[in-house]
Structure formats: structure tokens, C-alpha cells
Amino acid sequence: MAGVQIDSLDIVFGNVTVLKDLSLSVAEGEFLVLLGPSGCGKSTLLHTLAGFNEVSTGRIRIGERDVTWDDPKDRGIGMVFQSYALYPTMNVERNMSFGLRVAGLPREEIDKRVARAAQMLHLTELLKRRPSQLSGGQRQRVAIGRALVRDAQVYLFDEPLSNLDAKLRAELRRELKQLHLQLGTTMVYVTHDQVEAMTLASRIAVMQGGRIRQIDTPQRVYAEPVDMFVAGFLGAPSMNFVEGRLQREADRLWFVAPALRADVSSYRFATPPAEGAAVVLGARPEHVALSGDDAAAAGRARVTLVEPMGSNQVIWLDASGTPIALERTAGEAPAVGEQLGFALRPQGLSLFDAKTQMRL
Ligand SMILES: Nc1ncnc2c1ncn2[C@@H]1O[C@H](COP(=O)(O)OP(=O)(O)O)[C@@H](O)[C@H]1O
Ligand SMILES: [Mg+2]
């Protein structure tokens, strides 16, 4: 088992710099998730860790070893890709043991490792089957097993669940988390799916345009996003953004916009804003509530749509032209077209600089 240390990494393809001065430290035993939109450089970072890309600038260490120039096979990593890429003519057992046989490991050792991985991944009964006789989820478990038998120091996963349907994806996601609890091995996991990131990660690194915007626990990234990109990327429906100004009145500080007013006196500023500066208020849908009490309401709005979600419902509002999503426990829903007051929970609010889009 080992941690990973990346220092000032640049990855250049032709004349395009895909990763820019990227540094990242993954603790031993951590489940780090790289999260970001398509094209932000997640796979490039993972492939570079695995040794498939030439490094222009920077260093990579796995454990105590500098592996920047090492061959992929010498890095002590196991990798699982998005497509299972199993050998169709080999059964599960031979698919899983292929790499070990090529490496010339003794037969006994191979059998031991395959049996252990098969047990962890619930594949023992399926060892003699061919890939065509397996479901998508089972195939992906074989692909994971193929990586596990390597007894790697670090496991790398590149969107391993994205080819599966929703139910299987959730199932295998839980199995992966269980596997990590069992093994305790360092894992770096790439996804563009924020639910996977939130549920699996010990820390999430949110990437955009070849850089890491924020790296922190799922709770912190969700509750205290460093900028509007991170704020908008996590959470569904997305965080509501309202542009306005800060105004001091007596001993209170107010956020004021045509759509709403909110008392932000208790807000913990990381950077105090200039008086009267343009700011953006961010409120997650679960921090907006309907309010029958006009004195406590942040504003009034018209109901434009109700989306029942089983245990929850999302109510879409139009507050003087500003769309606002509100999430609450399912129950009686207001009628479309109804005018209602809404309130904001002060603890859940974020404030951003309207120009730099950075958290205040
Ligand atoms: N071998 C390559 N040659 C040129 N450009 C590449 C290569 N691989 C990736 N890129 C570019 O690098 C950027 C990041 O790609 P990638 O790491 O695959 O993103 P992600 O995995 O986050 O979707 C994209 O703009 C992609 O087009
Ligand atoms: Mg990718």
C-alpha cells in the first residue's frame, strides 16, 4: 500500500497543454475521486499516473519511489477502464489470471490470488464462464478482479461503471466501497457522476480545464464550494444563483436582489467583500422552503412546475424572472401558477464575487 504524490505536472499533447501545473497528494489508503466534466483532463491524469503519457514537466511518486519515468508495469498499480476489454475466448478465471501468467508467476500463487479476488467480487461460481455468458455488471467485476489479482499498491479506476444501467451502477458502486473498506488500498477513481463521487470518496478533487479547482471531503466540497463552477457542478438540481448586492442596515448585513432579500449577518466570510460590490447568492434547493409567514419570507414567487421524486419533490419557482428550485419532502404540492412566499435557511447559503466567481 502506498500514497501518491504529484508535483507541478504539465501534460502537453502537440501544442495543447491538457494538465497545467497540477499538484496532488493522495494519502495511503485513501479513496480519492477525480470529478469533472468531460474533457477536463481526468483520464489524462489517471493515464499519466499509470505511465501511459510522457511527462513534460513535474514528478510523480508512488510510496517512496519516484516513478515519473518508470514503465507502467513497474509502478505497482492496477487499472480498471470504462470498457471491460475482456478476452472473449477466455473464461473468467483465465481472463483474471492472464497478466499473472504472462508475468510468469507460479501456478499456486496465481490460483490463490484468483480465488481470493473471485470471492471478494462474488465471481467464484462464474469462474468457468466466458464473458458472453455474463451480465454487464459481472463483466465489469471480472475487469476489477483482473486488476485486483495484481496485488497493486494503488488501484486506478477510469469511469468503471458508466457503461452499466442505473440499478447495476448503484449496486456495483456499493460493492466497490465495500471492497475498499476490506482492502484499505489507495484508490484513485475518475468519474463525471457527482453521486458516485459523493458516495465513494474520502476526498473529491473537482477538476476543470486541466486544473484542480477544489480538493476536500465530499461534505466540504458540497457545503463550501470554493467557486461557482464547483458549486454548480455538485448537486442536482443545481444550486440556485441570484445576483445582487450586500447592504448594511443598522447592525445587520443583507443580500438584496430584485427577486429576494436575505439576512446574511451570520455568514462566515473567507474574504470580506467591498461594500456595495456585486455578489452572487448561492442557495441549494434543500435550503429553500415555502413560507406562509410574509415577515420571514425572502421573497414571493410563482410556481412554474412540480417534479415528484418519490420521497422528495422539487418545486420550480419564478421570482421576478429568476428561476429558483426548491426541494422538500414529498407531500401535498402547490398548484402551478400559485403565488407563494419562500424563505432561505441562512446556514446553507454561499456568497460569491460576481466578477471572479470565487467564494466570499
Ligand atoms: N492523445 C491525445 N492527443 C491529443 N489530445 C488529447 C489526447 N488525449 C486527450 N486529449 C485531450 O485532452 C483533453 C482532456 O481529455 P481527457 O483527459 O480524456 O478528459 P476527461 O477524461 O476528463 O473527459 C481533451 O480536450 C482531449 O481532447
Ligand atoms: Mg475520461
Side-chain angles (χ1 to χ4, degrees):
M1 207 159 75
V4 176
Q5 180 75 41
I6 298 172
D7 292 313
S8 310
L9 184 70
D10 284 348
I11 294 293
V12 183
F13 293 129
N15 54 8
V16 184
T17 306
V18 175
L19 299 181
K20 301 169 188 110
D21 192 24
L22 188 144
S23 295
L24 171 66
S25 177
V26 187
E28 203 172 297
E30 184 168 17
F31 201 127
L32 183 94
V33 173
L34 301 170
L35 174 69
S38 179
C40 72
K42 305 180 296 295
S43 293
T44 302
L45 179 53
L46 210 66
H47 292 167
T48 307
L49 263 178
F52 303 140
N53 290 327
E54 189 156 337
V55 173
S56 338
T57 320
R59 301 237 135 265
I60 301 173
R61 279 189 310 163
I62 295 179
E64 297 300 303
R65 266 194 28 234
D66 187 328
V67 299
T68 314
W69 303 106
D70 284 6
D71 251 30
K73 66 172 171 39
D74 300 328
R75 296 187 176 211
I77 52 135
M79 183 146 175
V80 181
F81 298 91
Q82 180 175 350
S83 57
Y84 336 116
L86 301 177
Y87 301 104
T89 57
M90 292 183 200
N91 66 22
V92 168
E93 183 175 19
R94 291 186 66 76
N95 260 289
M96 279 168 69
S97 63
F98 183 76
L100 303 183
R101 285 185 277 124
V102 170
L105 251 72
R107 182 68 201 259
E108 265 167 54
E109 179 64 21
I110 293 176
D111 289 347
K112 203 176 80 190
R113 290 196 195 179
V114 169
R116 182 164 157 259
Q119 199 199 352
M120 276 194 234
L121 293 162
H122 315 294
L123 291 170
T124 309
E125 311 294 314
L126 308 175
L127 284 172
K128 298 295 171 208
R129 288 207 200 163
R130 296 227 179 132
S132 61
Q133 300 167 307
L134 301 174
S135 71
Q138 289 167 337
R139 281 180 216 171
Q140 192 54 300
R141 291 215 297 269
V142 176
I144 294 168
R146 198 168 47 183
L148 279 193
V149 295
R150 298 174 62 97
D151 264 349
Q153 306 213 58
V154 179
Y155 291 105
L156 308 177
F157 296 89
D158 194 357
E159 313 229 17
L161 308 183
S162 53
N163 282 341
L164 305 174
D165 64 50
K167 188 161 178 286
L168 258 180
R169 203 157 63 216
E171 234 172 78
L172 208 47
R173 189 179 78 210
R174 288 193 294 277
E175 282 181 28
L176 272 175
K177 187 161 183 163
Q178 202 71 49
L179 193 69
H180 179 250
L181 285 173
Q182 226 173 323
L183 293 171
T185 315
T186 312
M187 295 186 173
V188 183
Y189 185 103
V190 161
T191 184
H192 65 272
D193 180 324
Q194 43 133 348
V195 176
E196 264 174 43
M198 292 294 289
T199 52
L200 287 170
S202 55
R203 283 190 308 159
I204 299 176
V206 184
M207 292 182 65
Q208 181 198 24
R211 296 176 198 275
I212 294 177
R213 307 294 323 198
Q214 182 167 13
I215 176 163
D216 213 326
T217 60
Q219 295 75 15
R220 285 283 291 273
V221 173
Y222 187 79
E224 292 173 38
V226 296
D227 59 25
M228 287 173 65
F229 172 78
V230 175
F233 197 75
L234 275 113
S238 279
M239 185 182 269
N240 298 293
F241 292 126
V242 184
E243 196 163 330
R245 294 191 177 272
L246 293 177
Q247 239 171 56
R248 203 162 275 290
E249 287 173 21
D251 60 340
R252 312 302 296 169
L253 185 67
W254 289 86
F255 170 86
V256 183
L260 62 90
R261 272 169 71 83
D263 186 341
V264 291
S265 306
S266 60
Y267 187 78
R268 293 202 312 272
F269 283 96
T271 351
E275 189 85 23
V279 299
V280 173
L281 177 84
R284 294 212 177 272
E286 66 271 28
H287 297 134
V288 186
L290 294 181
S291 168
D293 173 5
D294 273 351
R300 287 185 69 77
R302 190 172 55 85
V303 176
T304 57
L305 198 70
V306 176
E307 289 181 297
M309 304 247 174
S311 60
N312 282 358
Q313 60 183 199
V314 176
I315 300 170
W316 292 87
L317 302 171
D318 177 343
S320 320
T322 304
I324 292 178
L326 173 165
E327 190 174 358
R328 63 174 197 172
T329 309
E332 214 173 306
V336 169
E338 208 175 322
Q339 287 280 344
L340 292 164
F342 64 93
L344 304 173
R345 296 204 184 91
Q347 316 85 290
L349 301 180
S350 289
L351 290 169
F352 303 96
D353 182 311
K355 213 178 286 155
T356 64
Q357 309 217 326
M358 299 301 287
R359 184 181 193 82
L360 292 170

